[in-house]
Amino acid sequence: MKIALMDSGIGLLAATAAVRRLRPDADLVLSLDPEGMPWGPRTPQDLTRRALAVAQAAAAHRPDALIVGCNTATVHALPTLRARLEPALPVIGTVPAIKPAAAGGGPLAIWATPATTGSPYQRDLIADFAGGVRVTEVPCHGLAEAVEHADAAAVDAAVTAAAALTPDDVTTVVLGCTHYELVAERIRNAVQRPGRPPLVLHGSAGAVAAQALRRLGAQPVTGVHTSGTLTVLLSGHEGSLPDPALAYAEGRFLQAVTPAR
């Protein structure tokens, strides 16, 4: 089995680690766009063009499925990617975990990029899955970029600013950008209020990995030695995990169990 994941940068690490834990035997292909990142500020048309190029670079390695490990790319490029690549290559998008978060009752906050916050896409998800739950949309200025560069001071500043916009009585936070899952504990520590119940965080990595296996009719495999390879594509050219990836537990885990060729 071979599964590809794509993103502009290292936001795909959480989903990649989740796939590796479910299928230690799967070959993984990571397709990144360091020459074009970040994708967030780009127009939908430009983002779609770049996402398609990254997807086609991954598809050239003949994976069995492709995970779009980026919320913004899923919003703008998923229809184009599916029209171009399916049914030969199943394409799995990343959707913020608003539905399971709302099932807990809330009140909840959705941390997302400024471009996604307040977007029709996110508002539709709230309307569809969070009816009756008080939802606060929190724009996280600069957080994805800080995570991408493993700039700890910038991450702390962005998390602190977003936490200040988060109501004190929030019980649940949806991590609406894949980069945020890499600093989930920093977010938890910033939002958790003394005397309040433990904060619940909802990311997408585990659900996306499980959905990829479902699309392939495959089951998780446990208790076996990791035998799958890891191929990293940087703007279409084979390379290695970017250095900032190793600042995070997910990146270190991937390097330890499946070093890039």
Side-chain angles (χ1 to χ4, degrees):
M1 178 186 298
K2 182 182 290 187
I3 296 176
L5 300 96
M6 58 170 281
D7 190 4
S8 62
I10 62 174
L12 49 61
L13 285 178
T16 305
V19 172
R20 171 55 74 224
R21 291 186 175 99
L22 291 177
R23 290 300 300 239
D25 59 330
D27 293 334
L28 304 180
V29 177
L30 308 189
S31 189
L32 285 66
D33 185 27
E35 294 177 5
M37 65 82 57
W39 283 348
R42 295 181 177 274
T43 65
Q45 295 78 12
D46 189 25
L47 187 156
T48 297
R49 179 180 62 83
R50 298 204 71 95
L52 184 58
V54 169
Q56 289 174 325
H61 288 252
R62 303 180 66 84
D64 299 299
L66 171 65
I67 293 172
V68 183
C70 173
N71 296 90
T72 303
T74 298
V75 171
H76 296 297
L78 188 61
T80 297
L81 296 178
R82 284 180 167 163
R84 191 68 62 91
L85 299 173
E86 290 188 339
L89 177 60
V91 181
I92 297 92
T94 299
V95 177
I98 295 173
K99 183 176 181 179
L108 64 89
I110 304 172
W111 283 34
T113 63
T116 299
T117 300
S119 66
Y121 167 78
Q122 183 160 290
R123 291 284 170 84
D124 286 345
L125 290 174
I126 293 170
D128 289 343
F129 301 120
V133 176
R134 179 157 58 83
V135 177
T136 301
E137 296 180 89
V138 178
C140 302
H141 296 275
L143 181 53
E145 292 80 2
V147 172
E148 179 68 30
H149 294 100
D151 184 334
V155 167
D156 287 342
V159 168
T160 298
L165 300 176
T166 304
D168 288 347
D169 63 347
V170 157
T171 62
T172 305
V173 172
V174 175
L175 304 178
C177 170
T178 54
H179 280 79
Y180 302 171
E181 296 189 52
L182 301 178
V183 292
E185 288 310 306
R186 296 193 204 183
I187 293 171
R188 184 192 306 279
N189 292 337
V191 177
Q192 180 70 57
R193 304 295 190 246
R196 299 288 300 173
L199 185 73
V200 178
L201 299 181
H202 281 275
S204 302
V208 168
Q211 176 64 7
L213 294 191
R214 283 194 293 270
R215 288 288 301 271
L216 294 174
Q219 298 294 324
V221 174
T222 59
V224 300
H225 177 71
T226 299
S227 58
T229 60
L230 178 67
T231 300
V232 179
L233 305 176
L234 305 175
S235 298
H237 304 287
E238 287 203 31
S240 57
L241 282 174
D243 289 341
L246 303 182
Y248 303 105
E250 294 85 348
R252 294 190 296 272
F253 165 70
L254 290 169
Q255 186 186 58
V257 300
T258 47
R261 295 183 297 181

